[in-house]
Amino acid sequence: MGDVAVIGTGQSVFSRKCGVSVRELCFEAFQEAMEGLDITKDNIDASIIGSAPEYDKQRTPSGLISEYLELTPKPTFYVESVCSSSSTGLRVAWSLIKAGLHKVVAVIGFQKMSELTSREAAERMGRGGDIIWDSPLGITMPAGYAMYARAHMAKYGTTEEQLAKVRVKSAHYGISNPKAYYRKELSVEDVLGSQVITSPLKLFDCCANADGSSCIIVASEDIATRVAKIPIWIAGVGAATDTMTMAGRKSLTNLSCAVEAAKQAYGMAGLGPEDIDVAEVHDCFTISEIMAYEDLGFAEFGEGARLIDEEQTYIGGKIPVNVDGGLLSKGHPIGATGGSQIRTIVRQLRGEASEAQVKDARIGLVHNIGGIGQYGNVTILRR
Ligand SMILES: CC(C)(COP(=O)(O)OP(=O)(O)OC[C@H]1O[C@@H](n2cnc3c(N)ncnc32)[C@H](O)[C@@H]1OP(=O)(O)O)[C@@H](O)C(=O)NCCC(=O)NCCS
């Protein structure tokens, strides 16, 4: 069986209130993903839809989206691993193509969070953790990641200023991303002075809920080489799961599911962290990005904060990370996020990233986490 490539990517604008229905939101990403491809929707022989349930009224959204995009009667189905749903979709698409069942698969991720208040959304996200042992005791997403931040500070001496520097970088790059919601420079003082959410995390240490969609068109080697100007090859896909309860975690200073997923992806690609030219990591909170540096092997455990201190994750540094502004600037429409990260790396590897372009980028990595570290997905892409 040949290789599998990403041949098209699209993303809606991420916003706090999109004002359109889920089907229209998905169309925006789908339309961009199909641009410039020498195929039509009739060549797509399956679709995979990813989101987290209970944010909008529509149940079983795959049938609805498939109909609206005129993909019927081709098969469609739903995948879910909360915030990493669209990366899980990409993994499944890769497997289906490798198995010879399909040749062109559309992976569509979406979330419309604006139908809920911020409080209701926090309650839904909390129930993404264990509903007996965690969420009733107040372990919402910010609270869970605040525990990780406190543990990292206690064990390694990481500081609130270092966390703030992650948001300063994200804000800096968010400005040049027309699809990001927050597009304004922030200083360390701005971040440190923002409202405390769950200490030590403040408002600007947190990503914001958003509406958005993403679409990745994946194809077999014979099709990809024929229809895409620059196919981007899927070199490695890693996935792992950790315990639902926080109490079950072996460590509170790194995400074991990310370490395991990275090991698998590097192994499959025959590459190591030193080979990665540009990366997108799941910065749902500033501490998440510092842990990702370590979990992916860009820094030793405990040394992640030094990378941001030394500006090694800026363009021109050792390993540029989240140079599209990350979740912190773009907003985080749960099911759409993984696809948006893939889109950024594909654009980098095609040399289409405009002012955010990392020179000569040929190998890129996407790290996408679901829940408070329950689901880890790492994808390595190669030009
Ligand atoms: C941090 C958080 C609790 C703030 O919620 P909130 O206090 O209810 O705030 P709101 O969402 O009502 O927003 C209040 C204001 O802060 C702004 N804001 C919210 N989050 C922001 C962020 N991350 N960066 C910058 N501004 C932000 C909003 O734009 C809004 O400003 P406006 O009134 O000028 O539009 C909420 O955004 C949150 O839970 N974030 C984490 C989401 C999450 O866990 N996702 C999954 C992670 S894997």
Side-chain angles (χ1 to χ4, degrees):
M1 200 49 67
D3 282 338
V4 177
V6 174
I7 59 169
T9 64
Q11 181 196 319
S12 73
V13 169
F14 286 1
S15 68
R16 296 275 289 170
K17 199 168 182 54
C18 65
V20 296
S21 65
V22 160
R23 65 194 89 180
E24 292 164 309
L25 191 58
C26 290
F27 179 75
E28 197 180 328
F30 179 70
Q31 194 178 32
E32 188 192 298
M34 293 296 288
E35 265 168 28
L37 283 181
D38 201 12
I39 51 168
T40 68
K41 61 181 173 45
D42 297 330
N43 299 103
I44 295 174
D45 54 13
S47 59
I48 301 173
I49 313 297
S51 73
E54 290 189 47
Y55 288 86
D56 63 275
K57 258 194 161 161
Q58 183 66 54
R59 295 197 61 219
T60 188
S62 32
L64 178 100
I65 293 163
S66 170
E67 178 192 337
Y68 193 73
L69 302 181
E70 298 180 337
L71 300 176
T72 53
K74 310 292 174 51
T76 186
F77 59 93
Y78 190 62
V79 294
E80 194 262 325
S81 59
V82 278
C83 317
S84 63
S85 295
S86 42
S87 285
T88 302
L90 183 76
R91 179 182 174 85
V92 175
W94 178 87
S95 325
L96 291 173
I97 293 170
K98 278 277 186 193
L101 202 56
H102 297 296
K103 281 193 170 287
V104 185
V105 179
V107 180
I108 297 162
F110 77 90
Q111 211 73 54
K112 187 176 178 195
M113 305 183 76
S114 61
E115 289 187 16
L116 302 179
T117 63
S118 185
R119 235 187 151 78
E120 288 167 334
E123 187 271 342
R124 300 295 192 282
M125 280 185 262
R127 278 195 287 119
D130 189 303
I131 60 158
I132 294 178
W133 294 109
D134 281 358
S135 54
L137 307 177
I139 304 186
T140 57
M141 292 284 163
Y145 278 98
M147 286 164 70
Y148 276 101
R150 278 276 170 236
H152 211 276
M153 290 163 118
K155 185 164 178 188
Y156 299 125
T158 304
T159 64
E160 294 185 39
E161 285 76 11
Q162 288 170 322
L163 298 182
K165 285 179 186 175
V166 171
R167 179 63 194 256
V168 171
K169 173 173 69 68
S170 120
H172 175 71
Y173 289 120
I175 292 172
S176 53
N177 182 348
K179 305 238 181 188
Y181 185 68
Y182 296 108
R183 300 183 63 194
K184 173 168 145 288
E185 294 279 2
L186 289 174
S187 64
V188 168
E189 293 69 35
D190 291 330
V191 182
L192 293 177
S194 62
Q195 188 199 343
V196 174
I197 301 294
T198 41
S199 178
L201 302 178
K202 298 156 216 76
L203 181 68
F204 292 155
D205 286 299
C206 308
C207 66
N209 300 330
D211 294 346
S213 64
S214 61
C215 178
I216 312 295
I217 311 287
V218 192
S220 58
E221 186 171 342
D222 53 331
I223 305 261
T225 42
R226 197 155 42 79
V227 308
K229 272 191 232 109
I230 308 176
I232 299 299
W233 303 100
I234 301 175
V237 282
T241 313
D242 205 344
T243 60
M244 282 295 270
T245 57
M246 295 293 283
R249 302 289 163 88
K250 290 201 178 63
S251 160
L252 279 184
T253 52
N254 71 291
L255 301 184
S256 309
C257 63
V259 175
E260 174 58 28
K263 197 170 109 192
Q264 292 170 18
Y266 286 135
M268 191 185 290
L271 298 167
E274 63 288 353
D275 299 308
I276 307 299
D277 298 316
V278 56
E280 277 283 293
V281 309
H282 194 93
D283 59 331
C284 48
F285 299 93
T286 48
I287 183 62
S288 323
E289 181 163 323
I290 289 179
M291 289 194 296
Y293 297 161
E294 300 171 9
D295 294 344
L296 295 168
F298 299 153
E300 298 292 324
F301 289 108
E303 298 282 317
R306 268 183 56 192
L307 279 189
I308 191 74
D309 268 342
E310 294 169 0
E311 301 197 350
Q312 296 289 3
T313 48
Y314 278 74
I315 293 174
K318 184 178 149 201
I319 170 70
V321 173
N322 290 355
V323 294
D324 64 351
L327 283 55
L328 288 165
S329 290
K330 290 190 293 186
H332 178 26
I334 304 179
T337 287
S340 164
Q341 295 177 299
I342 299 277
R343 173 181 176 271
T344 292
I345 293 299
V346 166
R347 288 166 63 84
Q348 284 284 346
L349 302 183
R350 286 180 176 161
E352 293 170 353
S354 319
E355 55 264 61
Q357 184 65 49
V358 173
K359 197 165 171 285
D360 298 329
R362 300 196 69 79
I363 297 170
L365 178 148
V366 173
H367 157 281
N368 186 197
I369 301 297
I372 312 168
Q374 279 96 349
Y375 309 107
N377 286 273
V378 174
T379 308
I380 298 176
L381 298 164
R382 189 203 304 258
R383 179 169 174 142

